[in-house]
Amino acid sequence: MKFNQFGIVGLGVMGKNLAINFVNKGVKLAVFNRQVPGREVNLAKNFESENPGAEGFDDFAAFTASLEKPRKILMMVNAGKPVDDVISRLIPYLEPGDILMDGGNSHFSDTKRRVEYLEEQKLIFLGIGISGGQEGARIGPSTMPGGPLNGYKEVSKYIDLISSKDKNNLPCSTYVGPDGAGHFIKTVHNGIEYAEMQIIAELYYLMRFLLLYSPEKISYVFQKWQQDGDGSYLLEISSKILLKKEGNELLLDKILDVAEQKETGGWSVKAALDLGSPFSTIANAVQTRMLSMLKFKREKAAEIYKNVGSKAAPESLNENELKSALISARLINHIIGFNMMKDASDKYGWNLNLGEIARIWTGGCIIKSPLMEKISEELSSSPELLFHPEVVGILEQNHSNLSKAVSASILHNFPVPVLSAAVSFFYNIISGNCSANMIQAQRDYFGAHTYKRIDKSDAEYFHTDW
Ligand code: 6PG
Protein backbone atom coordinates (compact mmCIF):
# COMPACT_ATOMS: atom_id res chain seq x y z
CA MET A 1 0.00 0.00 0.00
CA LYS A 2 1.28 3.44 -0.87
CA PHE A 3 0.76 5.80 2.06
CA ASN A 4 -0.69 9.28 1.80
CA GLN A 5 1.90 11.99 2.29
CA PHE A 6 -0.24 14.56 4.06
CA GLY A 7 -3.61 14.72 5.81
CA ILE A 8 -6.23 17.46 6.17
CA VAL A 9 -8.99 17.39 8.77
CA GLY A 10 -11.99 19.60 7.98
CA LEU A 11 -13.36 20.37 4.54
CA GLY A 12 -15.00 23.71 5.26
CA VAL A 13 -14.33 26.55 2.81
CA MET A 14 -10.65 27.01 3.71
CA GLY A 15 -9.96 23.30 4.29
CA LYS A 16 -11.46 22.26 0.99
CA ASN A 17 -9.64 24.91 -1.03
CA LEU A 18 -6.33 24.09 0.64
CA ALA A 19 -6.96 20.40 -0.07
CA ILE A 20 -7.49 21.23 -3.78
CA ASN A 21 -4.22 23.19 -3.69
CA PHE A 22 -2.33 20.16 -2.24
CA VAL A 23 -3.84 17.80 -4.84
CA ASN A 24 -3.04 20.23 -7.67
CA LYS A 25 0.58 20.30 -6.49
CA GLY A 26 0.75 16.52 -6.76
CA VAL A 27 0.67 15.66 -3.05
CA LYS A 28 -0.91 12.34 -2.19
CA LEU A 29 -3.53 13.59 0.20
CA ALA A 30 -5.84 12.07 2.82
CA VAL A 31 -8.85 14.19 3.74
CA PHE A 32 -11.10 13.68 6.73
CA ASN A 33 -14.50 15.17 7.41
CA ARG A 34 -16.97 14.13 10.09
CA GLN A 35 -20.50 13.04 9.21
CA VAL A 36 -23.22 15.39 10.47
CA PRO A 37 -26.63 14.24 9.22
CA GLY A 38 -28.32 16.87 7.10
CA ARG A 39 -25.29 19.19 7.16
CA GLU A 40 -21.99 17.43 6.49
CA VAL A 41 -22.69 14.22 4.62
CA ASN A 42 -19.98 12.27 2.75
CA LEU A 43 -17.89 15.42 2.24
CA ALA A 44 -14.61 13.50 2.27
CA LYS A 45 -15.81 10.77 -0.13
CA ASN A 46 -17.27 13.41 -2.45
CA PHE A 47 -13.95 15.25 -2.37
CA GLU A 48 -12.19 11.99 -3.28
CA SER A 49 -14.41 11.43 -6.30
CA GLU A 50 -13.98 15.03 -7.51
CA ASN A 51 -10.21 15.11 -6.92
CA PRO A 52 -8.22 12.14 -8.15
CA GLY A 53 -5.12 11.88 -5.96
CA ALA A 54 -7.05 12.36 -2.74
CA GLU A 55 -8.49 9.71 -0.45
CA GLY A 56 -11.52 10.56 1.69
CA PHE A 57 -12.27 9.32 5.23
CA ASP A 58 -14.86 9.82 7.93
CA ASP A 59 -13.07 7.61 10.42
CA PHE A 60 -9.94 8.71 12.28
CA ALA A 61 -8.48 5.18 12.58
CA ALA A 62 -8.46 4.60 8.82
CA PHE A 63 -7.43 8.21 8.08
CA THR A 64 -4.37 8.08 10.34
CA ALA A 65 -3.47 4.53 9.22
CA SER A 66 -3.32 5.78 5.62
CA LEU A 67 -0.61 8.36 6.39
CA GLU A 68 3.13 7.88 6.05
CA LYS A 69 5.18 8.44 9.22
CA PRO A 70 5.80 10.79 10.83
CA ARG A 71 2.19 11.65 10.12
CA LYS A 72 1.56 15.22 8.98
CA ILE A 73 -1.98 16.37 9.68
CA LEU A 74 -3.32 19.87 9.10
CA MET A 75 -6.47 20.70 11.04
CA MET A 76 -8.77 23.21 9.31
CA VAL A 77 -11.52 23.44 11.90
CA ASN A 78 -13.03 26.40 13.75
CA ALA A 79 -10.78 28.01 16.33
CA GLY A 80 -11.42 27.29 20.01
CA LYS A 81 -12.97 24.11 21.38
CA PRO A 82 -13.25 22.30 18.02
CA VAL A 83 -9.43 22.31 17.75
CA ASP A 84 -9.05 20.74 21.21
CA ASP A 85 -11.79 18.20 20.39
CA VAL A 86 -10.09 17.09 17.18
CA ILE A 87 -6.72 16.87 18.96
CA SER A 88 -8.10 14.62 21.68
CA ARG A 89 -9.86 12.43 19.15
CA LEU A 90 -6.71 12.08 17.04
CA ILE A 91 -4.18 11.46 19.82
CA PRO A 92 -5.08 7.76 20.37
CA TYR A 93 -4.12 7.07 16.74
CA LEU A 94 -0.85 9.01 16.72
CA GLU A 95 2.71 7.92 17.47
CA PRO A 96 5.72 9.81 18.86
CA GLY A 97 7.06 12.28 16.34
CA ASP A 98 3.78 12.73 14.45
CA ILE A 99 2.97 16.33 13.59
CA LEU A 100 -0.36 18.05 14.08
CA MET A 101 -0.89 21.50 12.55
CA ASP A 102 -3.62 24.04 13.15
CA GLY A 103 -4.27 26.28 10.13
CA GLY A 104 -7.23 28.17 11.62
CA ASN A 105 -7.31 31.62 13.19
CA SER A 106 -6.48 30.30 16.68
CA HIS A 107 -5.47 32.46 19.59
CA PHE A 108 -1.69 32.33 20.00
CA SER A 109 -1.94 31.51 23.72
CA ASP A 110 -4.07 28.44 22.87
CA THR A 111 -1.41 27.44 20.36
CA LYS A 112 1.34 27.78 22.98
CA ARG A 113 -0.68 25.63 25.40
CA ARG A 114 -1.24 23.00 22.68
CA VAL A 115 2.45 22.96 21.72
CA GLU A 116 3.33 22.23 25.36
CA TYR A 117 0.56 19.65 25.83
CA LEU A 118 1.45 17.71 22.69
CA GLU A 119 5.13 17.82 23.60
CA GLU A 120 4.20 15.97 26.81
CA GLN A 121 2.58 13.31 24.57
CA LYS A 122 5.79 13.20 22.47
CA LEU A 123 3.89 14.74 19.57
CA ILE A 124 4.64 17.93 17.67
CA PHE A 125 2.17 20.78 17.31
CA LEU A 126 2.50 23.67 14.89
CA GLY A 127 0.28 26.74 14.67
CA ILE A 128 0.12 27.96 11.08
CA GLY A 129 -1.35 31.35 10.24
CA ILE A 130 -2.90 31.18 6.79
CA SER A 131 -4.04 34.23 4.85
CA GLY A 132 -5.60 34.75 1.47
CA GLY A 133 -9.25 33.82 1.79
CA GLN A 134 -10.64 30.94 -0.24
CA GLU A 135 -8.97 31.91 -3.48
CA GLY A 136 -5.59 32.23 -1.78
CA ALA A 137 -6.09 28.85 -0.12
CA ARG A 138 -6.75 27.26 -3.52
CA ILE A 139 -4.00 28.84 -5.58
CA GLY A 140 -1.44 29.86 -2.97
CA PRO A 141 -1.89 31.55 0.41
CA SER A 142 0.67 33.29 2.57
CA THR A 143 1.51 30.90 5.41
CA MET A 144 2.98 31.70 8.82
CA PRO A 145 4.13 28.52 10.54
CA GLY A 146 5.24 28.61 14.19
CA GLY A 147 6.06 26.04 16.86
CA PRO A 148 8.88 23.52 17.37
CA LEU A 149 11.53 23.97 14.66
CA ASN A 150 12.09 20.21 14.24
CA GLY A 151 8.41 19.78 13.37
CA TYR A 152 8.53 22.67 10.93
CA LYS A 153 11.49 21.07 9.15
CA GLU A 154 9.44 17.90 8.58
CA VAL A 155 6.53 19.73 6.96
CA SER A 156 8.19 22.76 5.34
CA LYS A 157 8.46 21.22 1.89
CA TYR A 158 4.68 20.72 1.77
CA ILE A 159 3.87 24.14 3.24
CA ASP A 160 6.28 25.84 0.83
CA LEU A 161 4.76 23.91 -2.06
CA ILE A 162 1.21 25.14 -1.49
CA SER A 163 2.16 28.73 -0.55
CA SER A 164 2.05 31.67 -2.92
CA LYS A 165 5.37 32.72 -4.48
CA ASP A 166 6.99 36.14 -4.13
CA LYS A 167 8.57 38.15 -6.96
CA ASN A 168 11.73 36.04 -6.72
CA ASN A 169 9.69 32.84 -6.82
CA LEU A 170 10.36 32.13 -3.14
CA PRO A 171 7.47 30.73 -1.10
CA CYS A 172 5.42 33.28 0.84
CA SER A 173 6.09 31.19 3.90
CA THR A 174 8.80 31.17 6.52
CA TYR A 175 9.40 29.65 9.93
CA VAL A 176 8.13 32.47 12.12
CA GLY A 177 9.25 31.35 15.59
CA PRO A 178 8.52 29.01 18.51
CA ASP A 179 5.26 28.26 20.37
CA GLY A 180 2.39 30.58 19.30
CA ALA A 181 4.51 32.89 17.10
CA GLY A 182 2.85 31.83 13.81
CA HIS A 183 -0.64 32.53 15.07
CA PHE A 184 0.52 35.70 16.80
CA ILE A 185 1.84 37.04 13.50
CA LYS A 186 -1.40 36.10 11.74
CA THR A 187 -3.30 38.03 14.41
CA VAL A 188 -1.18 41.13 13.78
CA HIS A 189 -1.68 40.62 10.03
CA ASN A 190 -5.42 40.77 10.66
CA GLY A 191 -5.05 43.89 12.82
CA ILE A 192 -3.18 45.62 9.98
CA GLU A 193 -5.89 44.30 7.62
CA TYR A 194 -8.68 45.87 9.71
CA ALA A 195 -7.01 49.30 9.64
CA GLU A 196 -6.19 49.04 5.92
CA MET A 197 -9.85 48.26 5.20
CA GLN A 198 -11.03 51.14 7.35
CA ILE A 199 -8.63 53.64 5.72
CA ILE A 200 -10.07 52.76 2.32
CA ALA A 201 -13.63 52.86 3.67
CA GLU A 202 -13.05 56.34 5.13
CA LEU A 203 -11.57 57.67 1.89
CA TYR A 204 -14.43 56.15 -0.12
CA TYR A 205 -16.98 57.74 2.20
CA LEU A 206 -15.32 61.15 2.03
CA MET A 207 -15.06 61.06 -1.75
CA ARG A 208 -18.66 60.02 -2.11
CA PHE A 209 -20.43 62.21 0.44
CA LEU A 210 -18.10 65.14 1.12
CA LEU A 211 -16.63 65.58 -2.36
CA LEU A 212 -19.69 64.22 -4.16
CA TYR A 213 -17.80 61.84 -6.49
CA SER A 214 -19.88 59.17 -8.19
CA PRO A 215 -19.10 55.52 -7.30
CA GLU A 216 -17.75 55.07 -10.85
CA LYS A 217 -15.42 58.01 -10.42
CA ILE A 218 -14.17 56.71 -7.07
CA SER A 219 -13.57 53.32 -8.67
CA TYR A 220 -11.65 54.99 -11.48
CA VAL A 221 -9.54 57.02 -9.04
CA PHE A 222 -8.77 53.88 -6.99
CA GLN A 223 -7.71 52.09 -10.18
CA LYS A 224 -5.46 55.01 -11.10
CA TRP A 225 -3.77 54.87 -7.69
CA GLN A 226 -3.40 51.16 -8.21
CA GLN A 227 -1.67 51.73 -11.54
CA ASP A 228 0.61 54.37 -9.96
CA GLY A 229 1.87 51.61 -7.62
CA ASP A 230 0.22 53.14 -4.55
CA GLY A 231 -2.55 50.58 -4.20
CA SER A 232 -3.02 47.20 -2.59
CA TYR A 233 -5.09 44.07 -3.02
CA LEU A 234 -7.70 45.67 -0.75
CA LEU A 235 -7.81 48.86 -2.85
CA GLU A 236 -8.15 46.76 -6.00
CA ILE A 237 -11.15 44.82 -4.67
CA SER A 238 -12.69 48.05 -3.39
CA SER A 239 -12.50 49.59 -6.87
CA LYS A 240 -14.36 46.53 -8.18
CA ILE A 241 -16.94 46.64 -5.39
CA LEU A 242 -17.76 50.21 -6.47
CA LEU A 243 -18.83 48.99 -9.91
CA LYS A 244 -20.96 46.03 -8.86
CA LYS A 245 -24.60 46.59 -9.73
CA GLU A 246 -27.75 44.75 -8.74
CA GLY A 247 -30.17 45.66 -11.50
CA ASN A 248 -29.54 49.39 -11.99
CA GLU A 249 -28.45 50.00 -8.46
CA LEU A 250 -25.12 49.79 -6.72
CA LEU A 251 -24.98 46.64 -4.61
CA LEU A 252 -22.88 48.49 -2.01
CA ASP A 253 -25.81 50.81 -1.30
CA LYS A 254 -27.93 47.81 -0.36
CA ILE A 255 -25.46 46.44 2.16
CA LEU A 256 -26.25 47.22 5.80
CA ASP A 257 -23.61 49.51 7.31
CA VAL A 258 -22.87 47.23 10.27
CA ALA A 259 -19.35 45.78 10.15
CA GLU A 260 -19.00 42.39 11.76
CA GLN A 261 -15.81 40.85 13.05
CA LYS A 262 -14.49 37.65 14.39
CA GLU A 263 -11.94 37.94 17.12
CA THR A 264 -8.50 38.35 15.58
CA GLY A 265 -8.51 42.16 15.24
CA GLY A 266 -9.49 42.54 18.88
CA TRP A 267 -6.91 39.94 19.95
CA SER A 268 -4.18 41.96 18.25
CA VAL A 269 -5.28 45.06 20.19
CA LYS A 270 -5.27 43.16 23.50
CA ALA A 271 -1.82 41.77 22.68
CA ALA A 272 -0.55 45.29 21.95
CA LEU A 273 -1.96 46.49 25.29
CA ASP A 274 -0.17 43.65 27.08
CA LEU A 275 3.05 44.66 25.39
CA GLY A 276 2.53 48.39 26.04
CA SER A 277 2.90 48.96 22.30
CA PRO A 278 1.09 51.93 20.68
CA PHE A 279 -1.51 50.51 18.33
CA SER A 280 -3.93 53.35 17.70
CA THR A 281 -4.80 52.85 14.01
CA ILE A 282 -5.69 49.22 14.60
CA ALA A 283 -7.45 49.82 17.92
CA ASN A 284 -9.54 52.50 16.21
CA ALA A 285 -10.38 50.20 13.31
CA VAL A 286 -11.69 47.57 15.75
CA GLN A 287 -13.64 50.19 17.71
CA THR A 288 -15.11 51.67 14.54
CA ARG A 289 -16.55 48.28 13.63
CA MET A 290 -18.02 48.15 17.14
CA LEU A 291 -19.51 51.60 16.71
CA SER A 292 -21.04 50.56 13.41
CA MET A 293 -22.90 47.83 15.31
CA LEU A 294 -24.88 50.54 17.14
CA LYS A 295 -27.06 51.08 14.08
CA PHE A 296 -30.24 51.82 15.98
CA LYS A 297 -28.55 54.31 18.30
CA ARG A 298 -26.75 55.97 15.37
CA GLU A 299 -30.01 56.44 13.48
CA LYS A 300 -31.72 57.92 16.49
CA ALA A 301 -28.78 60.24 17.23
CA ALA A 302 -28.66 61.31 13.56
CA GLU A 303 -32.27 62.47 13.88
CA ILE A 304 -31.70 64.30 17.15
CA TYR A 305 -28.44 65.98 16.12
CA LYS A 306 -29.62 66.56 12.54
CA ASN A 307 -26.34 65.33 11.08
CA VAL A 308 -27.69 64.99 7.59
CA GLY A 309 -25.07 65.11 4.83
CA SER A 310 -25.72 68.76 4.01
CA LYS A 311 -22.14 69.81 4.40
CA ALA A 312 -20.79 68.67 1.08
CA ALA A 313 -17.63 70.54 0.10
CA PRO A 314 -16.47 69.31 -3.29
CA GLU A 315 -13.55 71.74 -3.44
CA SER A 316 -12.03 70.95 -0.09
CA LEU A 317 -9.66 68.18 -1.27
CA ASN A 318 -8.27 67.10 -4.61
CA GLU A 319 -7.40 63.63 -5.88
CA ASN A 320 -3.67 64.03 -5.34
CA GLU A 321 -4.17 65.15 -1.77
CA LEU A 322 -6.42 62.14 -1.17
CA LYS A 323 -3.85 59.77 -2.62
CA SER A 324 -1.18 61.32 -0.51
CA ALA A 325 -3.41 60.87 2.58
CA LEU A 326 -3.78 57.19 1.68
CA ILE A 327 -0.03 56.76 1.24
CA SER A 328 0.84 58.30 4.59
CA ALA A 329 -1.98 56.66 6.59
CA ARG A 330 -1.10 53.21 5.23
CA LEU A 331 2.59 53.68 5.90
CA ILE A 332 1.93 54.84 9.46
CA ASN A 333 -0.36 51.85 10.02
CA HIS A 334 2.36 49.48 8.82
CA ILE A 335 4.93 51.20 11.05
CA ILE A 336 2.60 50.65 14.01
CA GLY A 337 2.02 46.97 13.16
CA PHE A 338 5.69 46.12 12.58
CA ASN A 339 6.76 48.04 15.66
CA MET A 340 4.34 45.98 17.74
CA MET A 341 5.80 42.75 16.34
CA LYS A 342 9.27 43.95 17.26
CA ASP A 343 8.07 44.60 20.81
CA ALA A 344 6.54 41.10 20.93
CA SER A 345 9.72 39.54 19.60
CA ASP A 346 11.82 41.31 22.26
CA LYS A 347 9.43 40.48 25.09
CA TYR A 348 8.82 36.84 24.20
CA GLY A 349 12.35 36.11 22.92
CA TRP A 350 11.02 35.00 19.51
CA ASN A 351 13.77 36.56 17.44
CA LEU A 352 11.26 37.45 14.72
CA ASN A 353 12.73 38.29 11.34
CA LEU A 354 10.55 41.26 10.43
CA GLY A 355 11.95 41.56 6.90
CA GLU A 356 10.99 37.94 6.24
CA ILE A 357 7.53 38.49 7.71
CA ALA A 358 7.00 41.44 5.35
CA ARG A 359 8.31 39.33 2.48
CA ILE A 360 5.83 36.50 3.09
CA TRP A 361 3.09 39.14 3.11
CA THR A 362 4.02 40.35 -0.39
CA GLY A 363 1.99 37.56 -1.98
CA GLY A 364 -1.02 35.41 -1.25
CA CYS A 365 -2.37 37.38 1.71
CA ILE A 366 -5.07 40.01 2.15
CA ILE A 367 -2.62 42.85 2.93
CA LYS A 368 -0.28 42.28 -0.01
CA SER A 369 0.73 45.50 -1.76
CA PRO A 370 3.64 47.28 -3.41
CA LEU A 371 4.14 49.01 -0.05
CA MET A 372 4.75 45.61 1.57
CA GLU A 373 7.42 44.93 -1.07
CA LYS A 374 9.17 48.19 -0.11
CA ILE A 375 8.86 47.45 3.59
CA SER A 376 10.36 43.99 3.20
CA GLU A 377 13.43 45.57 1.57
CA GLU A 378 13.63 48.37 4.14
CA LEU A 379 13.33 45.99 7.09
CA SER A 380 16.15 43.86 5.77
CA SER A 381 18.55 46.73 6.50
CA SER A 382 17.06 47.94 9.82
CA PRO A 383 14.18 46.87 12.11
CA GLU A 384 13.17 50.52 12.67
CA LEU A 385 10.94 51.56 9.77
CA LEU A 386 10.28 55.05 11.14
CA PHE A 387 13.93 56.05 10.71
CA HIS A 388 14.48 54.47 7.32
CA PRO A 389 15.49 57.25 4.85
CA GLU A 390 12.91 56.16 2.26
CA VAL A 391 10.12 56.12 4.87
CA VAL A 392 11.22 59.53 6.16
CA GLY A 393 11.08 60.87 2.60
CA ILE A 394 7.58 59.48 1.97
CA LEU A 395 6.18 60.78 5.24
CA GLU A 396 7.78 64.20 4.86
CA GLN A 397 6.26 64.50 1.44
CA ASN A 398 2.76 63.27 2.32
CA HIS A 399 1.87 63.87 5.97
CA SER A 400 0.48 67.38 5.45
CA ASN A 401 -2.09 66.03 3.01
CA LEU A 402 -3.19 63.41 5.55
CA SER A 403 -3.55 66.24 8.00
CA LYS A 404 -5.52 68.24 5.42
CA ALA A 405 -7.87 65.32 4.66
CA VAL A 406 -8.51 64.76 8.37
CA SER A 407 -9.06 68.47 9.03
CA ALA A 408 -11.45 68.88 6.09
CA SER A 409 -13.42 65.84 7.23
CA ILE A 410 -13.73 66.90 10.83
CA LEU A 411 -14.64 70.46 9.80
CA HIS A 412 -17.54 69.01 7.82
CA ASN A 413 -18.60 66.56 10.55
CA PHE A 414 -17.29 63.45 8.82
CA PRO A 415 -15.77 60.81 11.12
CA VAL A 416 -12.32 59.59 10.04
CA PRO A 417 -11.21 57.53 13.05
CA VAL A 418 -8.30 55.66 11.48
CA LEU A 419 -7.03 58.51 9.32
CA SER A 420 -7.09 60.72 12.45
CA ALA A 421 -5.39 58.05 14.54
CA ALA A 422 -2.67 57.76 11.91
CA VAL A 423 -1.96 61.49 11.73
CA SER A 424 -2.07 61.89 15.52
CA PHE A 425 0.30 58.96 15.98
CA PHE A 426 2.67 60.54 13.49
CA TYR A 427 2.67 64.01 15.08
CA ASN A 428 3.10 62.41 18.48
CA ILE A 429 6.00 60.19 17.54
CA ILE A 430 7.84 63.08 15.85
CA SER A 431 7.39 65.31 18.92
CA GLY A 432 10.59 65.41 20.92
CA ASN A 433 8.56 67.21 23.57
CA CYS A 434 5.02 66.13 24.28
CA SER A 435 2.26 66.76 26.81
CA ALA A 436 3.21 63.87 29.11
CA ASN A 437 4.92 66.16 31.63
CA MET A 438 1.44 67.48 32.48
CA ILE A 439 0.22 63.89 33.02
CA GLN A 440 3.15 63.22 35.34
CA ALA A 441 2.45 66.42 37.29
CA GLN A 442 -1.24 65.51 37.63
CA ARG A 443 -0.36 61.99 38.82
CA ASP A 444 1.98 63.43 41.41
CA TYR A 445 -0.56 66.07 42.47
CA PHE A 446 -3.44 63.72 43.20
CA GLY A 447 -1.62 60.52 44.04
CA ALA A 448 1.98 61.35 44.97
CA HIS A 449 3.06 59.05 42.14
CA THR A 450 6.33 61.00 41.72
CA TYR A 451 8.03 62.14 38.52
CA LYS A 452 11.43 62.30 36.90
CA ARG A 453 13.09 65.63 36.04
CA ILE A 454 14.82 66.73 32.87
CA ASP A 455 17.61 68.30 34.94
CA LYS A 456 18.34 65.23 37.12
CA SER A 457 19.47 61.67 36.51
CA ASP A 458 17.07 59.16 34.99
CA ALA A 459 17.26 57.01 38.10
CA GLU A 460 15.83 59.66 40.47
CA TYR A 461 12.16 60.27 41.28
CA PHE A 462 10.71 63.44 42.85
CA HIS A 463 7.55 64.41 44.64
CA THR A 464 6.20 67.93 45.15
CA ASP A 465 3.80 69.13 47.83
CA TRP A 466 1.58 70.85 45.24
C1 6PG B 1 -7.13 36.32 5.81
C2 6PG B 1 -8.23 36.93 6.62
C3 6PG B 1 -9.11 35.91 7.26
C4 6PG B 1 -10.18 36.50 8.17
C5 6PG B 1 -11.15 37.38 7.46
C6 6PG B 1 -12.38 37.74 8.27
O1 6PG B 1 -6.00 36.69 6.10
O2 6PG B 1 -7.39 35.52 4.91
O3 6PG B 1 -7.67 37.69 7.65
O4 6PG B 1 -8.31 35.04 8.02
O5 6PG B 1 -10.89 35.46 8.73
O6 6PG B 1 -10.52 38.52 7.04
O7 6PG B 1 -12.06 38.40 9.43
P1 6PG B 1 -13.19 39.20 10.21
O8 6PG B 1 -14.43 38.37 10.15
O9 6PG B 1 -12.70 39.36 11.62
O10 6PG B 1 -13.36 40.49 9.48
Side-chain angles (χ1 to χ4, degrees), residues 87 91 108-127 147-148 178-180 350:
I87 292 173
I91 281 180
F108 45 89
S109 63
D110 284 339
T111 304
K112 183 173 176 0
R113 167 177 62 76
R114 289 168 186 144
V115 167
E116 287 161 6
Y117 173 64
L118 267 85
E119 203 173 287
E120 287 161 20
Q121 322 288 316
K122 305 211 173 341
L123 297 167
I124 299 171
F125 188 80
L126 300 173
D179 50 72
W350 283 340

Side-chain angles (χ1 to χ4, degrees), residues 188 192 268-284 332-344 384 386 421-422 424-426 428-429:
V188 180
I192 296 172
S268 71
V269 177
K270 284 188 204 155
L273 279 176
D274 288 344
L275 290 163
S277 198
F279 215 50
S280 52
T281 47
I282 295 166
N284 272 296
I332 291 164
N333 181 45
H334 282 69
I335 290 172
I336 288 173
F338 278 92
N339 190 53
M340 186 272 214
M341 289 188 281
K342 180 167 184 319
D343 289 345
E384 189 56 86
L386 183 69
S424 292
F425 173 89
F426 181 64
N428 233 312
I429 199 81

Side-chain angles (χ1 to χ4, degrees), residues 14 105 130-133 186 189-190 193-194 197 260-265 289 365-366:
M14 287 298 281
N105 275 331
I130 300 183
S131 175
K186 175 64 188 354
H189 167 284
N190 282 23
E193 170 187 302
Y194 275 42
M197 293 168 77
E260 299 186 13
Q261 54 187 315
K262 298 191 199 78
E263 292 174 288
T264 46
R289 289 200 193 186
C365 73
I366 304 294

Side-chain angles (χ1 to χ4, degrees), residues 367-404:
I367 58 172
K368 63 186 175 187
S369 71
L371 172 63
M372 197 63 83
E373 304 264 1
K374 259 192 216 141
I375 287 178
S376 81
E377 281 158 29
E378 284 155 1
L379 284 170
S380 60
S381 58
S382 152
E384 189 56 86
L385 274 179
L386 183 69
F387 301 145
H388 193 284
E390 203 180 340
V391 170
V392 173
I394 297 171
L395 287 174
E396 276 184 342
Q397 205 188 329
N398 293 289
H399 75 85
S400 56
N401 283 326
L402 175 58
S403 166
K404 189 173 177 195

Side-chain angles (χ1 to χ4, degrees), residues 181 386 414 416:
L386 183 69
F414 277 76
V416 275

